[in-house]
Amino acid sequence: MATRDRSAAEADPALRRRIMRHRRAFLAYERYAPMGDSLDPRFSPAMMPRLDRWQHREARRRRDLLTHPVHSLADMRAKAVYLLAYPRSDFLIDGPGELALFLRAMAAGK
């Protein structure tokens, strides 16, 4: 019962780790993205492999976060607040498939 009664406490440490891992990957990809845009003055063809690696890492970590089941109200809040914190970004919930993963994970903890 203790795991379900954490609504007033902090979110699950495993969920917080996934959020932090995704945040690091997301920010790194965001930092490198202009270097992959040929119209940007910082464009560098040599950076393309690094940009690709960070893009794949961000996608993996986003999927890990989206599919992580929640077990308390605190978990639900932490996950939703984080994923909705970037309203102009298409990276955090990208399309109906990822929205479905997110919603299934929210229901999985019941």
Side-chain angles (χ1 to χ4, degrees):
M1 187 68 181
T3 58
R4 294 202 183 269
D5 199 22
R6 284 190 290 128
S7 60
E10 286 192 27
D12 175 50
L15 175 60
R16 287 185 295 165
R17 280 191 301 275
R18 287 181 190 228
I19 289 171
M20 291 308 297
R21 281 188 211 130
H22 177 264
R23 185 174 190 76
R24 281 193 299 268
F26 178 79
L27 293 174
Y29 176 70
E30 193 173 65
R31 185 173 54 248
Y32 291 122
M35 295 175 200
D37 179 359
S38 61
L39 299 177
D40 192 289
R42 296 169 286 179
F43 173 70
S44 171
M47 290 300 290
M48 294 307 289
R50 182 177 290 182
L51 179 62
D52 287 343
R53 280 193 307 273
W54 278 108
Q55 184 178 27
H56 291 296
R57 183 175 293 165
E58 186 279 330
R60 276 193 321 271
R61 292 194 173 158
R62 177 174 17 103
R63 188 172 183 84
D64 287 346
L65 175 58
L66 287 169
T67 59
H68 186 81
V70 296
H71 299 286
S72 71
L73 185 56
D75 291 352
M76 284 184 155
R77 285 181 185 156
K79 191 173 186 179
V81 165
Y82 175 72
L83 290 168
L84 299 174
Y86 300 96
R88 287 185 215 101
S89 174
D90 61 351
F91 294 111
L92 299 185
I93 296 181
D94 189 19
E98 288 191 352
L99 181 58
L101 288 174
F102 171 71
L103 294 174
R104 274 196 297 272
M106 289 296 214
K110 291 188 163 203

